[in-house]
Amino acid sequence: MSQLETQCLHAGYEQAEATTKSHAAPLYRTTSYRFDSAEHANNLFTLKELGNIYTRLMNPTTDILEQRVAALDGGAAALALASGTSAAFYSIINLASKGDEIVSANNLYGGTYTQFNDILPSMGITVKMVDPLNPENFAAAITDKTKALFCEVVGNPLLDLVDLQAIGDIAHAHGLPLIVDATFSTPALCRPLEHGADIVIHSLTKWLGGHGTVIGGIVVDSGKFDWTTGKHPLLSDPEPSYWNTSFANDLGDLAPLAYILRMRLIPLRNLGACISPDNSWQAIQGIETLPLRMERHSENGLAVAKHLQNHAKVEWVRHPALEGDSSYELAQKYMPKGSGGMVVFGVKGGAEAGRTFIEKLQIFSHLANVGDARSLAIHPASTTHSQLSEEQQLSARITPDLVRLSVGIEHIDDILTDIDQALAAV
Ligand SMILES: *Cc1c(COP(=O)(O)O)cnc(C)c1O
């Protein structure tokens, strides 16, 4: 079962559940699990046996989701969490603590940017932000305190792709893992573990869930990074809150699970950003159709970009698969099957025109999300980035005319008609 389309439907639930033979992945709405005996309970708590204890730590529905996404990304293991935001947070605090540094791309999703720029520093973790379009900027910012490099496959807000392999090579030359947020690409379009990444995170809220119905996040580990070198004491030192286990050194056959197992047993167990089993189940439903949806999102996204490119009321447009786009070469290399449904463009007439355009749209919904099956639109300068000064907006390249579209899977004729009538009103 090696092909993605098949994995999306079967991975993590090949055999029907033994008691009921439920054909569809079952939803286990329970907080806790009965022990067979005092010995069984003790074995579970001391890791002599792996099994269910409490749903904050593990749940059989969530386990199906974790196995499925790990398979899609070609990873060794995964951990699902309450949101993509908590996935980013746990991916960092599972390998870095007070006094440590992270080197990150500066074109991050807004919530992650604030987390890295304000919250991690308040915990003593310094995040150095670099322009990721030149991979050498990562190398220049690495010190002996650096614990990991971080970037997104497709950046915000301008949809710039990064050269994953080049950044991964820099990370590995310094004994560091590369963590990649692949929310905008999904495993259907790009599998970063095949291009130099060691750890991948996704917001399940976006295209993986796919229907705008569920918040969730997930961290996938390749299982190949060497945590035993001493560069990552959180993983290699004895863990005082867990039987003095060294996750990197003491797991034997389970060594490839070290990073994910530590994340489950230390941050998730004690900080508690667990996903609800209901949300895991919803995400599983969405993933079944992921490859079909991403194909259509990509087709429609490119068609919208080409249409806007020739429109008299449009100043500029970007989509990574648009010939001549500055990310075109990288998109051909890392997302050859399509570059997704995100399109950004500048409407002639600036902020006022941008707002009018958004208000006139009828099929596109005006809201702060991406990756719904339905088309979405927003004017970042007056909404998501309105708290920034004009100067800050420009340095983040949020120009007043910028409109962001998350193109859905409706019929392309209806999408283009809607865009045209809204532009006509500008
Ligand atoms: C939405 C998003 C997140 C945050 O995910 P939530 O599930 O909303 O917490 C992180 N990274 C990217 C790229 C996103 O689009």
Side-chain angles (χ1 to χ4, degrees), residues 214-242:
V214 60
I215 303 268
I218 197 160
V219 181
V220 184
D221 177 26
S222 72
K224 293 182 184 142
F225 189 79
D226 181 5
W227 304 107
T228 64
T229 62
K231 232 181 181 345
H232 295 92
L234 283 190
L235 285 127
S236 57
D237 281 3
E239 175 63 52
S241 72
Y242 208 80

PDB file of all heavy atoms in Angstrom, residues 214-242:
ATOM      1  N   VAL A 214     -13.223  21.747  11.500  1.00  0.00           N
ATOM      2  CA  VAL A 214     -12.500  21.157  12.628  1.00  0.00           C
ATOM      3  C   VAL A 214     -11.133  21.822  12.811  1.00  0.00           C
ATOM      4  O   VAL A 214     -10.450  22.137  11.831  1.00  0.00           O
ATOM      5  CB  VAL A 214     -12.352  19.626  12.397  1.00  0.00           C
ATOM      6  CG1 VAL A 214     -11.602  19.329  11.131  1.00  0.00           C
ATOM      7  CG2 VAL A 214     -11.688  18.946  13.569  1.00  0.00           C
ATOM      8  N   ILE A 215     -10.760  22.091  14.073  1.00  0.00           N
ATOM      9  CA  ILE A 215      -9.427  22.626  14.383  1.00  0.00           C
ATOM     10  C   ILE A 215      -8.558  21.479  14.893  1.00  0.00           C
ATOM     11  O   ILE A 215      -8.995  20.702  15.749  1.00  0.00           O
ATOM     12  CB  ILE A 215      -9.508  23.712  15.478  1.00  0.00           C
ATOM     13  CG1 ILE A 215     -10.438  24.851  15.074  1.00  0.00           C
ATOM     14  CG2 ILE A 215      -8.112  24.209  15.863  1.00  0.00           C
ATOM     15  CD1 ILE A 215      -9.820  26.019  14.388  1.00  0.00           C
ATOM     16  N   GLY A 216      -7.363  21.364  14.359  1.00  0.00           N
ATOM     17  CA  GLY A 216      -6.443  20.333  14.837  1.00  0.00           C
ATOM     18  C   GLY A 216      -5.065  20.560  14.255  1.00  0.00           C
ATOM     19  O   GLY A 216      -4.890  21.369  13.330  1.00  0.00           O
ATOM     20  N   GLY A 217      -4.079  19.876  14.807  1.00  0.00           N
ATOM     21  CA  GLY A 217      -2.718  19.970  14.290  1.00  0.00           C
ATOM     22  C   GLY A 217      -2.016  18.634  14.444  1.00  0.00           C
ATOM     23  O   GLY A 217      -2.504  17.743  15.158  1.00  0.00           O
ATOM     24  N   ILE A 218      -0.893  18.467  13.761  1.00  0.00           N
ATOM     25  CA  ILE A 218      -0.165  17.202  13.867  1.00  0.00           C
ATOM     26  C   ILE A 218       1.319  17.424  13.596  1.00  0.00           C
ATOM     27  O   ILE A 218       1.694  18.309  12.815  1.00  0.00           O
ATOM     28  CB  ILE A 218      -0.783  16.142  12.907  1.00  0.00           C
ATOM     29  CG1 ILE A 218      -0.325  14.728  13.282  1.00  0.00           C
ATOM     30  CG2 ILE A 218      -0.490  16.462  11.442  1.00  0.00           C
ATOM     31  CD1 ILE A 218      -1.228  13.626  12.740  1.00  0.00           C
ATOM     32  N   VAL A 219       2.150  16.658  14.311  1.00  0.00           N
ATOM     33  CA  VAL A 219       3.602  16.689  14.132  1.00  0.00           C
ATOM     34  C   VAL A 219       4.028  15.307  13.642  1.00  0.00           C
ATOM     35  O   VAL A 219       3.626  14.297  14.237  1.00  0.00           O
ATOM     36  CB  VAL A 219       4.324  16.992  15.470  1.00  0.00           C
ATOM     37  CG1 VAL A 219       5.837  17.050  15.262  1.00  0.00           C
ATOM     38  CG2 VAL A 219       3.808  18.287  16.089  1.00  0.00           C
ATOM     39  N   VAL A 220       4.809  15.251  12.572  1.00  0.00           N
ATOM     40  CA  VAL A 220       5.288  13.974  12.029  1.00  0.00           C
ATOM     41  C   VAL A 220       6.808  13.969  12.086  1.00  0.00           C
ATOM     42  O   VAL A 220       7.452  14.948  11.685  1.00  0.00           O
ATOM     43  CB  VAL A 220       4.851  13.789  10.556  1.00  0.00           C
ATOM     44  CG1 VAL A 220       5.282  12.413  10.040  1.00  0.00           C
ATOM     45  CG2 VAL A 220       3.354  13.982  10.397  1.00  0.00           C
ATOM     46  N   ASP A 221       7.385  12.881  12.581  1.00  0.00           N
ATOM     47  CA  ASP A 221       8.843  12.771  12.665  1.00  0.00           C
ATOM     48  C   ASP A 221       9.334  11.689  11.702  1.00  0.00           C
ATOM     49  O   ASP A 221       8.745  10.610  11.623  1.00  0.00           O
ATOM     50  CB  ASP A 221       9.229  12.413  14.107  1.00  0.00           C
ATOM     51  CG  ASP A 221      10.737  12.195  14.272  1.00  0.00           C
ATOM     52  OD1 ASP A 221      11.515  12.772  13.487  1.00  0.00           O
ATOM     53  OD2 ASP A 221      11.120  11.439  15.175  1.00  0.00           O
ATOM     54  N   SER A 222      10.427  11.979  10.998  1.00  0.00           N
ATOM     55  CA  SER A 222      10.980  10.978  10.074  1.00  0.00           C
ATOM     56  C   SER A 222      11.529   9.771  10.831  1.00  0.00           C
ATOM     57  O   SER A 222      11.636   8.680  10.280  1.00  0.00           O
ATOM     58  CB  SER A 222      12.106  11.596   9.241  1.00  0.00           C
ATOM     59  OG  SER A 222      13.255  11.797  10.056  1.00  0.00           O
ATOM     60  N   GLY A 223      11.914   9.959  12.089  1.00  0.00           N
ATOM     61  CA  GLY A 223      12.524   8.878  12.864  1.00  0.00           C
ATOM     62  C   GLY A 223      13.981   8.662  12.525  1.00  0.00           C
ATOM     63  O   GLY A 223      14.619   7.735  13.026  1.00  0.00           O
ATOM     64  N   LYS A 224      14.549   9.525  11.670  1.00  0.00           N
ATOM     65  CA  LYS A 224      15.916   9.296  11.196  1.00  0.00           C
ATOM     66  C   LYS A 224      16.942  10.226  11.832  1.00  0.00           C
ATOM     67  O   LYS A 224      18.147   9.988  11.716  1.00  0.00           O
ATOM     68  CB  LYS A 224      15.965   9.464   9.676  1.00  0.00           C
ATOM     69  CG  LYS A 224      15.177   8.368   8.975  1.00  0.00           C
ATOM     70  CD  LYS A 224      15.250   8.496   7.462  1.00  0.00           C
ATOM     71  CE  LYS A 224      14.362   7.443   6.799  1.00  0.00           C
ATOM     72  NZ  LYS A 224      13.689   7.967   5.627  1.00  0.00           N
ATOM     73  N   PHE A 225      16.491  11.293  12.480  1.00  0.00           N
ATOM     74  CA  PHE A 225      17.464  12.243  13.023  1.00  0.00           C
ATOM     75  C   PHE A 225      18.174  11.624  14.232  1.00  0.00           C
ATOM     76  O   PHE A 225      17.565  10.936  15.041  1.00  0.00           O
ATOM     77  CB  PHE A 225      16.789  13.557  13.418  1.00  0.00           C
ATOM     78  CG  PHE A 225      17.785  14.618  13.772  1.00  0.00           C
ATOM     79  CD1 PHE A 225      18.441  15.325  12.772  1.00  0.00           C
ATOM     80  CD2 PHE A 225      18.107  14.871  15.103  1.00  0.00           C
ATOM     81  CE1 PHE A 225      19.399  16.277  13.093  1.00  0.00           C
ATOM     82  CE2 PHE A 225      19.055  15.822  15.435  1.00  0.00           C
ATOM     83  CZ  PHE A 225      19.701  16.529  14.426  1.00  0.00           C
ATOM     84  N   ASP A 226      19.486  11.885  14.353  1.00  0.00           N
ATOM     85  CA  ASP A 226      20.282  11.325  15.452  1.00  0.00           C
ATOM     86  C   ASP A 226      20.246  12.273  16.658  1.00  0.00           C
ATOM     87  O   ASP A 226      20.880  13.324  16.650  1.00  0.00           O
ATOM     88  CB  ASP A 226      21.728  11.126  14.969  1.00  0.00           C
ATOM     89  CG  ASP A 226      22.595  10.511  16.063  1.00  0.00           C
ATOM     90  OD1 ASP A 226      22.053  10.150  17.145  1.00  0.00           O
ATOM     91  OD2 ASP A 226      23.815  10.379  15.838  1.00  0.00           O
ATOM     92  N   TRP A 227      19.480  11.879  17.684  1.00  0.00           N
ATOM     93  CA  TRP A 227      19.332  12.725  18.885  1.00  0.00           C
ATOM     94  C   TRP A 227      20.377  12.390  19.946  1.00  0.00           C
ATOM     95  O   TRP A 227      20.317  12.919  21.050  1.00  0.00           O
ATOM     96  CB  TRP A 227      17.935  12.547  19.488  1.00  0.00           C
ATOM     97  CG  TRP A 227      16.808  12.821  18.555  1.00  0.00           C
ATOM     98  CD1 TRP A 227      15.979  11.900  17.973  1.00  0.00           C
ATOM     99  CD2 TRP A 227      16.355  14.111  18.092  1.00  0.00           C
ATOM    100  NE1 TRP A 227      15.061  12.541  17.169  1.00  0.00           N
ATOM    101  CE2 TRP A 227      15.267  13.890  17.225  1.00  0.00           C
ATOM    102  CE3 TRP A 227      16.782  15.431  18.333  1.00  0.00           C
ATOM    103  CZ2 TRP A 227      14.583  14.933  16.590  1.00  0.00           C
ATOM    104  CZ3 TRP A 227      16.094  16.463  17.700  1.00  0.00           C
ATOM    105  CH2 TRP A 227      15.023  16.210  16.845  1.00  0.00           C
ATOM    106  N   THR A 228      21.298  11.460  19.642  1.00  0.00           N
ATOM    107  CA  THR A 228      22.206  10.967  20.699  1.00  0.00           C
ATOM    108  C   THR A 228      23.516  11.751  20.787  1.00  0.00           C
ATOM    109  O   THR A 228      24.357  11.448  21.618  1.00  0.00           O
ATOM    110  CB  THR A 228      22.585   9.474  20.465  1.00  0.00           C
ATOM    111  OG1 THR A 228      23.329   9.387  19.228  1.00  0.00           O
ATOM    112  CG2 THR A 228      21.353   8.584  20.402  1.00  0.00           C
ATOM    113  N   THR A 229      23.705  12.773  19.927  1.00  0.00           N
ATOM    114  CA  THR A 229      25.013  13.415  19.851  1.00  0.00           C
ATOM    115  C   THR A 229      25.340  14.293  21.060  1.00  0.00           C
ATOM    116  O   THR A 229      26.480  14.714  21.218  1.00  0.00           O
ATOM    117  CB  THR A 229      25.096  14.325  18.604  1.00  0.00           C
ATOM    118  OG1 THR A 229      24.104  15.355  18.737  1.00  0.00           O
ATOM    119  CG2 THR A 229      24.842  13.546  17.326  1.00  0.00           C
ATOM    120  N   GLY A 230      24.332  14.608  21.874  1.00  0.00           N
ATOM    121  CA  GLY A 230      24.553  15.520  22.994  1.00  0.00           C
ATOM    122  C   GLY A 230      24.148  16.948  22.674  1.00  0.00           C
ATOM    123  O   GLY A 230      24.091  17.802  23.558  1.00  0.00           O
ATOM    124  N   LYS A 231      23.839  17.210  21.400  1.00  0.00           N
ATOM    125  CA  LYS A 231      23.394  18.549  21.006  1.00  0.00           C
ATOM    126  C   LYS A 231      21.969  18.842  21.478  1.00  0.00           C
ATOM    127  O   LYS A 231      21.552  19.987  21.533  1.00  0.00           O
ATOM    128  CB  LYS A 231      23.444  18.655  19.466  1.00  0.00           C
ATOM    129  CG  LYS A 231      24.217  19.870  19.003  1.00  0.00           C
ATOM    130  CD  LYS A 231      24.214  19.958  17.502  1.00  0.00           C
ATOM    131  CE  LYS A 231      24.987  21.140  16.961  1.00  0.00           C
ATOM    132  NZ  LYS A 231      25.342  22.205  17.848  1.00  0.00           N
ATOM    133  N   HIS A 232      21.214  17.789  21.776  1.00  0.00           N
ATOM    134  CA  HIS A 232      19.813  17.945  22.185  1.00  0.00           C
ATOM    135  C   HIS A 232      19.578  17.253  23.524  1.00  0.00           C
ATOM    136  O   HIS A 232      18.957  16.186  23.585  1.00  0.00           O
ATOM    137  CB  HIS A 232      18.874  17.386  21.102  1.00  0.00           C
ATOM    138  CG  HIS A 232      18.941  18.140  19.823  1.00  0.00           C
ATOM    139  ND1 HIS A 232      19.800  17.796  18.795  1.00  0.00           N
ATOM    140  CD2 HIS A 232      18.296  19.261  19.415  1.00  0.00           C
ATOM    141  CE1 HIS A 232      19.653  18.669  17.803  1.00  0.00           C
ATOM    142  NE2 HIS A 232      18.759  19.569  18.157  1.00  0.00           N
ATOM    143  N   PRO A 233      20.068  17.881  24.611  1.00  0.00           N
ATOM    144  CA  PRO A 233      19.966  17.252  25.933  1.00  0.00           C
ATOM    145  C   PRO A 233      18.528  16.953  26.357  1.00  0.00           C
ATOM    146  O   PRO A 233      18.316  15.997  27.123  1.00  0.00           O
ATOM    147  CB  PRO A 233      20.608  18.262  26.892  1.00  0.00           C
ATOM    148  CG  PRO A 233      20.994  19.454  26.084  1.00  0.00           C
ATOM    149  CD  PRO A 233      20.826  19.140  24.643  1.00  0.00           C
ATOM    150  N   LEU A 234      17.535  17.708  25.856  1.00  0.00           N
ATOM    151  CA  LEU A 234      16.150  17.392  26.233  1.00  0.00           C
ATOM    152  C   LEU A 234      15.819  15.963  25.816  1.00  0.00           C
ATOM    153  O   LEU A 234      15.031  15.277  26.471  1.00  0.00           O
ATOM    154  CB  LEU A 234      15.153  18.344  25.584  1.00  0.00           C
ATOM    155  CG  LEU A 234      15.007  19.753  26.164  1.00  0.00           C
ATOM    156  CD1 LEU A 234      13.816  20.456  25.547  1.00  0.00           C
ATOM    157  CD2 LEU A 234      14.886  19.730  27.675  1.00  0.00           C
ATOM    158  N   LEU A 235      16.414  15.505  24.724  1.00  0.00           N
ATOM    159  CA  LEU A 235      16.133  14.149  24.261  1.00  0.00           C
ATOM    160  C   LEU A 235      17.132  13.132  24.780  1.00  0.00           C
ATOM    161  O   LEU A 235      16.789  11.969  24.991  1.00  0.00           O
ATOM    162  CB  LEU A 235      16.079  14.121  22.729  1.00  0.00           C
ATOM    163  CG  LEU A 235      14.773  14.754  22.248  1.00  0.00           C
ATOM    164  CD1 LEU A 235      14.991  15.833  21.251  1.00  0.00           C
ATOM    165  CD2 LEU A 235      13.812  13.697  21.747  1.00  0.00           C
ATOM    166  N   SER A 236      18.378  13.545  24.985  1.00  0.00           N
ATOM    167  CA  SER A 236      19.386  12.541  25.344  1.00  0.00           C
ATOM    168  C   SER A 236      19.645  12.446  26.846  1.00  0.00           C
ATOM    169  O   SER A 236      20.038  11.387  27.337  1.00  0.00           O
ATOM    170  CB  SER A 236      20.696  12.813  24.587  1.00  0.00           C
ATOM    171  OG  SER A 236      21.166  14.112  24.858  1.00  0.00           O
ATOM    172  N   ASP A 237      19.421  13.540  27.606  1.00  0.00           N
ATOM    173  CA  ASP A 237      19.649  13.462  29.058  1.00  0.00           C
ATOM    174  C   ASP A 237      18.536  12.665  29.727  1.00  0.00           C
ATOM    175  O   ASP A 237      17.420  12.588  29.204  1.00  0.00           O
ATOM    176  CB  ASP A 237      19.685  14.874  29.663  1.00  0.00           C
ATOM    177  CG  ASP A 237      21.019  15.569  29.428  1.00  0.00           C
ATOM    178  OD1 ASP A 237      21.882  14.975  28.747  1.00  0.00           O
ATOM    179  OD2 ASP A 237      21.171  16.719  29.899  1.00  0.00           O
ATOM    180  N   PRO A 238      18.829  12.088  30.904  1.00  0.00           N
ATOM    181  CA  PRO A 238      17.758  11.409  31.653  1.00  0.00           C
ATOM    182  C   PRO A 238      16.642  12.405  31.979  1.00  0.00           C
ATOM    183  O   PRO A 238      16.929  13.519  32.398  1.00  0.00           O
ATOM    184  CB  PRO A 238      18.452  10.937  32.940  1.00  0.00           C
ATOM    185  CG  PRO A 238      19.910  10.979  32.640  1.00  0.00           C
ATOM    186  CD  PRO A 238      20.122  12.025  31.587  1.00  0.00           C
ATOM    187  N   GLU A 239      15.382  12.009  31.750  1.00  0.00           N
ATOM    188  CA  GLU A 239      14.242  12.910  31.950  1.00  0.00           C
ATOM    189  C   GLU A 239      13.722  12.747  33.384  1.00  0.00           C
ATOM    190  O   GLU A 239      13.144  11.722  33.716  1.00  0.00           O
ATOM    191  CB  GLU A 239      13.156  12.543  30.927  1.00  0.00           C
ATOM    192  CG  GLU A 239      11.856  13.280  31.054  1.00  0.00           C
ATOM    193  CD  GLU A 239      11.997  14.775  30.836  1.00  0.00           C
ATOM    194  OE1 GLU A 239      12.570  15.175  29.806  1.00  0.00           O
ATOM    195  OE2 GLU A 239      11.524  15.541  31.715  1.00  0.00           O
ATOM    196  N   PRO A 240      13.957  13.752  34.234  1.00  0.00           N
ATOM    197  CA  PRO A 240      13.596  13.610  35.647  1.00  0.00           C
ATOM    198  C   PRO A 240      12.109  13.379  35.862  1.00  0.00           C
ATOM    199  O   PRO A 240      11.724  12.681  36.798  1.00  0.00           O
ATOM    200  CB  PRO A 240      14.027  14.940  36.282  1.00  0.00           C
ATOM    201  CG  PRO A 240      14.373  15.856  35.168  1.00  0.00           C
ATOM    202  CD  PRO A 240      14.563  15.057  33.929  1.00  0.00           C
ATOM    203  N   SER A 241      11.242  13.935  34.975  1.00  0.00           N
ATOM    204  CA  SER A 241       9.804  13.756  35.186  1.00  0.00           C
ATOM    205  C   SER A 241       9.311  12.451  34.571  1.00  0.00           C
ATOM    206  O   SER A 241       8.111  12.183  34.577  1.00  0.00           O
ATOM    207  CB  SER A 241       9.024  14.942  34.616  1.00  0.00           C
ATOM    208  OG  SER A 241       9.052  14.899  33.196  1.00  0.00           O
ATOM    209  N   TYR A 242      10.200  11.642  34.021  1.00  0.00           N
ATOM    210  CA  TYR A 242       9.756  10.368  33.463  1.00  0.00           C
ATOM    211  C   TYR A 242      10.774   9.257  33.713  1.00  0.00           C
ATOM    212  O   TYR A 242      11.455   8.791  32.810  1.00  0.00           O
ATOM    213  CB  TYR A 242       9.415  10.496  31.958  1.00  0.00           C
ATOM    214  CG  TYR A 242       8.380   9.491  31.560  1.00  0.00           C
ATOM    215  CD1 TYR A 242       7.033   9.720  31.822  1.00  0.00           C
ATOM    216  CD2 TYR A 242       8.745   8.287  30.987  1.00  0.00           C
ATOM    217  CE1 TYR A 242       6.078   8.776  31.520  1.00  0.00           C
ATOM    218  CE2 TYR A 242       7.788   7.334  30.679  1.00  0.00           C
ATOM    219  CZ  TYR A 242       6.455   7.591  30.948  1.00  0.00           C
ATOM    220  OH  TYR A 242       5.503   6.643  30.657  1.00  0.00           O
TER     221      TYR A 242
END
